[in-house]
Amino acid sequence: MAPNHIENIAIVGAAGWSGKYIVSAIQKNGDQKITAITRHDSTAQMPPGIAIKKVNYDDHAALTSALRGQDALIITMGARAPPTQQTKLIEAAAAAEVPWILPNEFGNDNANEILRRDVMINAHKTQYRDLISQLGKSSWIGICCGFWYEFSLGGGVDRYGFDIPKREVVFFDEGKQALSTSTWAQNGQGVANLLNLKINREDENDKSPCLADWKDKFVYIASFVISQRDMLDSLLRVIGTASKDWTITHEESRKRYQDGLAEFQKGDFRGMARAMYTRNFWPDGLGNHAVTRGLDNEKLGLPKEDLDEATKEAVRMVTDGTLAHYG
């Protein structure tokens, strides 16, 4: 009888920003074996306690061999990674008959057709879910966690609108529209707890969550449901400043979105970031999947987090230059 739990997990991007949190959370959960799949020429420092397989991604046979025997493949890659890289990984996973794939699908609600239409980088991800389904060897699960809170708060005005060192913030409209957002730690714990579930229910009397509940679907998680004004209030508490110490301006969200798209079409990648973030603060509330979909936090046993502690971490990352190395 086949095991009813995931035992072997392969991850691409184990040393990356989200990957290291995922690895850490899986390790804390128990005894699942983790294998980092990385390019043959990679010099990235991998987390301790995991197996490492260096592979030429252009070598389908070698990549398939590296993935054989894995129960799940997690793909985490930066937005500027070559688009064919994920395709090669998915094709190799199908050839190796890896039953579960978590594609590079961490962020917005990409099951929402309107958001996919309005944010091109979201629409681009659909092809990978479709490919998994077409190959017919694996099931996919997407992680809808919203934007990463520390990265987005501390990453400058193109993201959540804040320039922390300069004490400046651009409110989109009145800054009152809430969205769902997650810390890197919550995202990692969500993935780990998901893959730690039993695969299928034991019998008809078993009502507990199982991995199959999310087969070819999205998991919806979040740390906070907050507005820009909530973020500013948290920053004031953490830094010890008052509103009068900050320069607060406003931009109409739809115009900011359109201006960002125009910049992106001219080749400025920051324009896409500005458009993508601003779109999720529109008054239609589509950036708040806690309301539009409901959260799976409780089913996955995720903790309630402290907003000011997460804000403090964002400030630290800005202050010590951590976020300056994101890429």
Side-chain angles (χ1 to χ4, degrees), residues 12 57-58 60 63-64 67 73 75 77 81-95 101 103-104 124-132 134-135:
V12 175
Y57 286 7
D58 292 326
H60 176 74
L63 195 52
T64 299
L67 290 171
L73 168 63
I75 303 174
M77 298 189 301
T84 58
Q85 187 166 298
Q86 187 165 194
T87 300
K88 293 172 183 176
L89 288 162
I90 291 169
E91 290 174 342
I101 299 177
N104 195 38
H124 178 71
K125 295 179 180 181
T126 304
Q127 63 179 306
Y128 302 113
R129 299 194 303 275
D130 289 345
L131 177 60
I132 295 169
Q134 289 163 9
L135 292 171

Side-chain angles (χ1 to χ4, degrees), residues 71-147:
D71 301 312
L73 168 63
I74 305 168
I75 303 174
T76 69
M77 298 189 301
R80 303 191 196 194
T84 58
Q85 187 166 298
Q86 187 165 194
T87 300
K88 293 172 183 176
L89 288 162
I90 291 169
E91 290 174 342
E97 298 189 346
V98 177
W100 297 92
I101 299 177
L102 276 62
N104 195 38
E105 190 78 64
F106 302 87
N108 299 150
D109 182 7
N110 287 339
N112 186 293
E113 293 182 7
I114 297 174
L115 282 181
R116 289 206 309 269
R117 177 198 68 198
D118 290 347
V119 182
M120 287 180 285
I121 199 170
N122 289 350
H124 178 71
K125 295 179 180 181
T126 304
Q127 63 179 306
Y128 302 113
R129 299 194 303 275
D130 289 345
L131 177 60
I132 295 169
S133 298
Q134 289 163 9
L135 292 171
K137 297 293 186 179
S138 314
S139 299
W140 61 265
I141 300 177
I143 308 296
C144 178
C145 55
F147 296 115

Side-chain angles (χ1 to χ4, degrees), residues 25 79 126 134 137 142 154 217 229 239 320 323:
T126 304
Q134 289 163 9
K137 297 293 186 179
K217 297 177 182 177
R229 288 185 180 271
I239 299 175
D320 67 12
L323 291 179

